[in-house]
Amino acid sequence: MQRFDKYWIGAVIGLLLPLTFIAVYLSHFHLWFLLEVGKAAFPTFSKLCLLSVFPNLALIFVFYTTNTWNLSKGVLLGAFPFMIAAIGFTL
């Protein structure tokens, strides 16, 4: 596991995991029409961006317990764009 302990791998995982979570969440609850609504979708999408960070937090915990510090830092770094997007959608 130590050979995968790189920042860029964690950052890629940190960016792809929330996108995957958002896609699965929207398809599971049949909410794809929210993307077509327009301005009314911003509050919902803001909450969805914040919700999509939680799988990253679980993954950070897993990487900390396996002592792969660079992976966990990269995953945390990959979560920041979603938190910033959530703030941007609420304004």
Side-chain angles (χ1 to χ4, degrees), residues 22-37:
I22 289 172
V24 169
Y25 189 87
L26 289 176
S27 66
H28 184 272
F29 290 108
H30 308 291
L31 297 174
W32 283 107
F33 70 92
L34 284 176
L35 298 177
E36 299 171 359
V37 172

Side-chain angles (χ1 to χ4, degrees), residues 3 6-7 13 18 23 31-32 34-35 37 41-42 44-45 50 57 62-63 69 78 86 91:
R3 67 181 176 178
K6 298 188 179 9
Y7 283 116
I13 292 171
L31 297 174
W32 283 107
L34 284 176
L35 298 177
V37 172
F42 285 142
T44 305
F45 198 67
L50 286 176
L57 298 177
V62 169
F63 287 150
W69 306 106
L91 297 178

